[in-house]
Amino acid sequence: MAKQETPERKKVVFFSMIPPSDNARLETMLGYANAAALLDYETLIYFFLDGALIGKQQVFNKLDQKIRDRVREALDNGVLLRICSAAAQTFGIDNKNIVPGFEIVGIAFFYAYAENANIVLTWS
Protein backbone atom coordinates (compact mmCIF):
# COMPACT_ATOMS: atom_id res chain seq x y z
CA MET A 1 0.00 0.00 0.00
CA ALA A 2 1.38 3.42 -0.98
CA LYS A 3 2.03 5.91 1.75
CA GLN A 4 -0.37 8.84 1.62
CA GLU A 5 1.23 12.25 1.82
CA THR A 6 -0.17 14.66 4.33
CA PRO A 7 -1.13 17.89 2.59
CA GLU A 8 0.95 20.87 3.63
CA ARG A 9 -0.87 23.34 5.85
CA LYS A 10 -1.80 26.61 4.23
CA LYS A 11 -0.03 29.67 5.62
CA VAL A 12 -1.31 33.13 6.47
CA VAL A 13 0.93 36.07 7.41
CA PHE A 14 -0.11 39.24 9.21
CA PHE A 15 2.35 42.12 8.68
CA SER A 16 1.45 44.48 11.55
CA MET A 17 2.57 47.97 12.49
CA ILE A 18 -0.41 48.66 14.75
CA PRO A 19 0.78 50.66 17.78
CA PRO A 20 -0.03 49.37 21.27
CA SER A 21 -2.40 52.30 21.82
CA ASP A 22 -4.82 51.19 19.08
CA ASN A 23 -6.95 48.66 20.97
CA ALA A 24 -9.67 48.31 18.33
CA ARG A 25 -7.34 47.43 15.45
CA LEU A 26 -5.13 45.24 17.63
CA GLU A 27 -8.07 43.27 18.96
CA THR A 28 -9.49 42.83 15.46
CA MET A 29 -6.17 41.72 13.94
CA LEU A 30 -5.54 39.27 16.78
CA GLY A 31 -9.08 37.93 16.35
CA TYR A 32 -8.44 37.32 12.64
CA ALA A 33 -5.14 35.61 13.43
CA ASN A 34 -6.76 33.38 16.04
CA ALA A 35 -9.53 32.48 13.58
CA ALA A 36 -6.91 31.55 10.97
CA ALA A 37 -5.10 29.31 13.45
CA LEU A 38 -8.37 27.64 14.44
CA LEU A 39 -9.08 27.05 10.74
CA ASP A 40 -5.76 25.17 10.67
CA TYR A 41 -3.71 27.79 8.89
CA GLU A 42 -0.10 28.03 9.95
CA THR A 43 -0.30 31.62 11.18
CA LEU A 44 2.41 34.24 11.65
CA ILE A 45 2.14 37.79 12.93
CA TYR A 46 5.22 39.84 12.08
CA PHE A 47 5.31 43.02 14.19
CA PHE A 48 7.35 45.91 12.82
CA LEU A 49 7.74 49.64 13.46
CA ASP A 50 5.53 50.68 16.43
CA GLY A 51 3.83 47.27 16.40
CA ALA A 52 7.01 45.74 17.81
CA LEU A 53 6.35 47.44 21.15
CA ILE A 54 3.57 44.93 21.83
CA GLY A 55 6.27 42.34 22.47
CA LYS A 56 8.11 44.46 25.03
CA GLN A 57 7.19 43.19 28.51
CA GLN A 58 6.89 46.68 30.07
CA VAL A 59 4.46 47.79 27.32
CA PHE A 60 2.56 44.49 27.22
CA ASN A 61 1.85 44.70 30.95
CA LYS A 62 0.09 48.05 30.40
CA LEU A 63 -2.08 46.87 27.48
CA ASP A 64 -5.82 46.47 27.86
CA GLN A 65 -6.69 43.09 29.41
CA LYS A 66 -8.60 42.05 26.27
CA ILE A 67 -5.47 42.53 24.16
CA ARG A 68 -3.29 40.58 26.59
CA ASP A 69 -5.87 37.78 26.56
CA ARG A 70 -5.96 37.74 22.76
CA VAL A 71 -2.17 37.51 22.61
CA ARG A 72 -2.16 34.59 25.08
CA GLU A 73 -4.95 32.94 23.07
CA ALA A 74 -2.87 33.37 19.91
CA LEU A 75 0.10 31.70 21.56
CA ASP A 76 -2.14 28.87 22.80
CA ASN A 77 -3.47 28.46 19.24
CA GLY A 78 0.05 28.14 17.85
CA VAL A 79 0.24 31.57 16.21
CA LEU A 80 3.85 32.55 15.64
CA LEU A 81 4.54 36.01 17.09
CA ARG A 82 7.68 37.55 15.63
CA ILE A 83 9.24 40.99 16.08
CA CYS A 84 11.35 42.71 13.43
CA SER A 85 14.95 42.82 14.66
CA ALA A 86 15.46 46.41 13.46
CA ALA A 87 12.37 47.56 15.37
CA ALA A 88 13.49 45.56 18.41
CA GLN A 89 16.82 47.35 18.35
CA THR A 90 15.13 50.74 17.94
CA PHE A 91 12.84 50.16 20.94
CA GLY A 92 15.34 48.37 23.18
CA ILE A 93 13.60 45.00 22.99
CA ASP A 94 15.83 42.03 23.69
CA ASN A 95 15.64 38.55 25.20
CA LYS A 96 15.66 40.04 28.72
CA ASN A 97 12.47 42.08 28.28
CA ILE A 98 10.52 40.30 25.55
CA VAL A 99 7.10 38.79 26.23
CA PRO A 100 7.45 34.99 26.48
CA GLY A 101 6.33 33.41 23.21
CA PHE A 102 7.53 36.29 21.02
CA GLU A 103 10.77 35.97 19.06
CA ILE A 104 12.98 38.54 17.40
CA VAL A 105 13.79 37.76 13.75
CA GLY A 106 15.16 39.64 10.77
CA ILE A 107 13.32 40.77 7.69
CA ALA A 108 14.82 37.84 5.74
CA PHE A 109 12.74 35.53 7.95
CA PHE A 110 9.59 37.44 7.03
CA TYR A 111 10.35 37.31 3.30
CA ALA A 112 11.15 33.59 3.38
CA TYR A 113 7.95 32.84 5.29
CA ALA A 114 5.73 35.16 3.24
CA GLU A 115 7.13 33.84 -0.04
CA ASN A 116 5.37 30.53 0.57
CA ALA A 117 2.28 31.93 2.26
CA ASN A 118 -1.16 31.56 0.72
CA ILE A 119 -2.38 34.82 2.25
CA VAL A 120 -0.47 37.93 3.35
CA LEU A 121 -2.37 40.70 5.14
CA THR A 122 -1.00 44.10 6.11
CA TRP A 123 -2.37 45.77 9.23
CA SER A 124 -1.34 49.37 9.75
Side-chain angles (χ1 to χ4, degrees), residues 5 37 124:
E5 289 189 31
S124 57

mmCIF file of all heavy atoms in Angstrom, residues 5 37 124:
data_model
loop_
_atom_site.group_PDB
_atom_site.id
_atom_site.type_symbol
_atom_site.label_atom_id
_atom_site.label_comp_id
_atom_site.label_asym_id
_atom_site.label_seq_id
_atom_site.Cartn_x
_atom_site.Cartn_y
_atom_site.Cartn_z
ATOM 1 N N GLU A 5 0.571 11.044 1.342
ATOM 2 C CA GLU A 5 1.233 12.247 1.816
ATOM 3 C C GLU A 5 0.223 13.143 2.525
ATOM 4 O O GLU A 5 -0.906 13.277 2.079
ATOM 5 C CB GLU A 5 1.853 13.006 0.653
ATOM 6 C CG GLU A 5 3.061 12.296 0.086
ATOM 7 C CD GLU A 5 3.792 13.153 -0.919
ATOM 8 O OE1 GLU A 5 3.779 14.387 -0.784
ATOM 9 O OE2 GLU A 5 4.364 12.576 -1.837
ATOM 10 N N ALA A 37 -5.724 30.456 12.777
ATOM 11 C CA ALA A 37 -5.100 29.310 13.450
ATOM 12 C C ALA A 37 -6.126 28.221 13.732
ATOM 13 O O ALA A 37 -5.854 27.028 13.541
ATOM 14 C CB ALA A 37 -4.425 29.764 14.739
ATOM 15 N N SER A 124 -2.075 48.155 9.371
ATOM 16 C CA SER A 124 -1.344 49.366 9.754
ATOM 17 C C SER A 124 -2.262 50.352 10.435
ATOM 18 O O SER A 124 -3.443 50.170 10.537
ATOM 19 C CB SER A 124 -0.711 50.002 8.541
ATOM 20 O OG SER A 124 -1.663 50.294 7.547
#
